[in-house]
Amino acid sequence: MTTRILGIESSCDETAAAIVADGREILSNVVASQVEVHRKYGGVVPELASREHLRQIVPVVREALERAGMRLRDVDAIGVTRGPGLVGSLLVGVTYGKVLAHSLGKPLVPVNHLEGHVHAVLLESHRAGRSPKFPAVCLIVSGGHTLLYSVEAEAAKRDPLAWQFHYRRLGGTRDDAAGEAYDKVAKLLGLGYPGGPVIDQLAAAAPQNGRRRDAPRFGPTKTRGNRYDFSFSGIKTAVLYYLRAHPELAGEIELRRAALREGKRKAEELLPSCGRATLELLAEFQRSVVRDLVRPTIEAAEELHAAAVLVSGGVAANAELRKRFEEEASRRGLEVFFPSRELSTDNAAMIAAAAYPRLLAGELAGEELDAEAVLPLA
Ligand code: KG4
Ligand code: ZN
């Protein structure tokens, strides 16, 4: 007997629903992105996000069912993101999940969004037939979070292929999340929203050889106290100061803003208005962010004698981050795991997957289930 869980996710600016069988086989995975709604503001506007969720939730769930060839009554349980996130956004998914579970008479499993990101990595490794060994360290790095955990796994009693995880928080950002730094730097430089994917591609286009004497260079960020904490506001400020010291770059920024207004948002469309200094600046920004993400994660893995490193969240799609993690991990005999790009960003397949071991353990929501803007994993 397979257990088919309908996952619902609405914590930020993606309305998503998915059907996952036994926590590991994705039968459907539908994501309605609100990026067009928030683009002109350069970030997520909570009020608009809730309204969009309300508009999208019913059709998105319907489509997830259709693509899986199922009807609502075929669903065995519902997993819903309870937090952390924007409370007005979360409430849409939580309310809809509650109503569905109640009217269908099916169990409702509350899911921590962050645990969803951990399961996104495992969904992929399941598909590839390659599973991480534990203990592992897990870096969750997105527009809203930069968190480092140690993860122990225990096979679920009723299904030895399903993992129940135990987390310990090792560190987190003191200020901006890494994805937030990408988005803010993109805004400063006239590169549109979200900033991550475009900066990722433009940084790779920077000339590799013959570094100019006045090319920007940002040193490693030191966080006093906990060595596994992160900080990205300093790098963002360094970009701002570099731009102030180089007023000759202002013309290009205006050109790019004009291109964005014409709907030219792709890296290749913005590249012609990026001079060498801008590309070098982006490359240095990205190098610094990646370095400051990789170093504490690898150090933690070594100190804890971890067997694997899991990296998840929107920024895990970054090509340089993947490359550097692969290099550093293989040098130390560590295995590193990422979700596919599709499962890196917010989705509901990861929520349905995370709900499965909790369903087996009987961790169900009661009528009092509420949305939680702040919900630590450990
Ligand atoms: O996980 P996600 O979809 O939503 C949040 O929970 O935040 O992550 C979105 C974030 C944005 O800040 C976006 O700029 C960043 O992930 N991002 C990237 C890349 N793709 C998305 N950052 C760096 N490189 C990328 N390729
Ligand atoms: Zn997320």
Side-chain angles (χ1 to χ4, degrees):
M1 265 290 279
T2 55
T3 302
R4 292 181 293 183
I5 298 183
L6 164 65
I8 297 176
E9 154 65 33
S10 70
S11 65
C12 187
D13 61 340
E14 258 99 29
T15 319
I19 310 279
V20 176
D22 291 343
R24 48 191 174 264
E25 193 194 343
I26 301 175
L27 303 182
S28 67
N29 186 21
V30 179
V31 181
S33 168
Q34 303 180 359
V35 69
E36 294 302 330
V37 176
H38 303 291
R39 180 166 273 142
K40 60 174 170 291
Y41 307 99
V44 178
V45 183
E47 169 80 23
L48 297 178
S50 324
R51 283 176 192 280
E52 273 303 296
H53 284 303
L54 206 49
R55 251 168 33 85
Q56 296 286 356
I57 192 92
V58 174
V60 163
V61 168
R62 187 185 299 137
E63 191 172 338
L65 288 163
E66 272 171 18
R67 287 198 199 168
M70 286 167 61
R71 286 158 305 178
L72 260 180
R73 63 167 176 272
D74 305 326
V75 165
D76 296 302
I78 293 160
V80 66
T81 303
R82 172 189 177 206
L86 301 169
V87 85
S89 290
L90 289 162
L91 277 169
V92 176
V94 167
T95 308
Y96 193 55
K98 265 178 152 179
V99 168
L100 280 181
H102 180 76
S103 56
L104 296 166
K106 305 281 173 160
L108 180 65
V109 186
V111 176
N112 185 311
H113 178 83
L114 300 169
E115 177 157 64
H117 278 299
V118 180
H119 279 265
V121 185
L122 300 164
L123 266 171
E124 210 58 42
S125 63
H126 244 299
R127 267 197 221 172
R130 173 178 100 105
S131 288
K133 294 200 175 60
F134 293 91
V137 297
C138 182
L139 174 69
I140 300 175
V141 62
S142 72
H145 306 281
T146 304
L147 287 161
L148 188 63
Y149 294 97
S150 70
V151 186
E152 292 277 2
E154 177 192 2
K157 288 195 181 63
R158 287 163 52 200
D159 182 347
L161 289 177
W163 302 105
Q164 176 87 53
F165 293 119
H166 304 282
Y167 306 92
R168 188 159 65 86
R169 188 183 186 280
L170 301 173
T173 184
R174 299 274 181 91
D175 38 61
D176 293 350
E180 190 180 354
Y182 268 92
D183 296 338
K184 287 180 176 169
V185 163
K187 197 168 181 175
L188 284 175
L189 282 158
L191 293 169
Y193 171 83
V198 172
I199 293 181
D200 191 358
Q201 290 175 54
L202 291 175
Q208 300 294 323
N209 52 350
R211 200 182 159 80
R212 290 175 310 115
R213 269 223 338 267
D214 68 339
R217 177 153 277 179
F218 307 146
T221 306
K222 293 191 185 66
T223 50
R224 261 190 242 167
N226 183 358
R227 48 200 276 251
Y228 300 136
D229 273 350
F230 305 88
S231 165
F232 297 102
S233 75
I235 301 174
K236 175 197 67 192
T237 308
V239 171
L240 179 66
Y241 287 171
Y242 185 86
L243 291 176
R244 284 201 188 143
H246 293 269
E248 71 279 9
L249 298 177
E252 277 186 21
I253 297 176
E254 279 321 309
L255 280 178
R256 291 191 293 268
R257 290 195 174 132
L260 291 171
R261 281 194 293 272
E262 289 171 30
K264 295 184 184 148
R265 285 187 286 269
K266 291 195 190 127
E268 64 266 27
E269 292 169 319
L270 297 168
L271 183 59
S273 53
C274 294
R276 177 172 183 148
T278 296
L279 293 177
E280 284 174 344
L281 178 62
L282 290 173
E284 182 61 13
F285 164 75
Q286 173 151 290
R287 205 163 22 241
S288 308
V289 171
V290 167
R291 174 197 60 211
D292 289 353
L293 286 170
V294 171
R295 186 181 295 153
T297 306
I298 294 286
E299 279 179 16
E302 289 202 300
E303 187 174 307
L304 300 174
H305 304 290
V309 176
L310 319 180
V311 187
S312 190
V315 182
N318 187 271
E320 188 167 334
L321 185 76
R322 287 180 178 239
K323 184 162 157 273
R324 288 270 287 126
F325 261 121
E326 301 279 3
E327 286 167 3
E328 294 295 322
S330 79
R331 201 174 292 159
R332 292 167 173 83
L334 278 162
E335 271 205 290
V336 53
F337 292 82
F338 297 94
S340 63
R341 273 157 209 268
E342 188 193 348
L343 293 179
S344 294
T345 49
D346 289 349
N347 64 85
M350 68 185 197
I351 302 303
Y356 179 63
R358 303 223 168 250
L359 174 71
L360 295 184
E363 295 175 25
L364 306 181
E367 279 177 15
E368 72 294 344
L369 177 67
D370 205 349
E372 309 286 346
V374 179
L375 186 63
L377 192 50

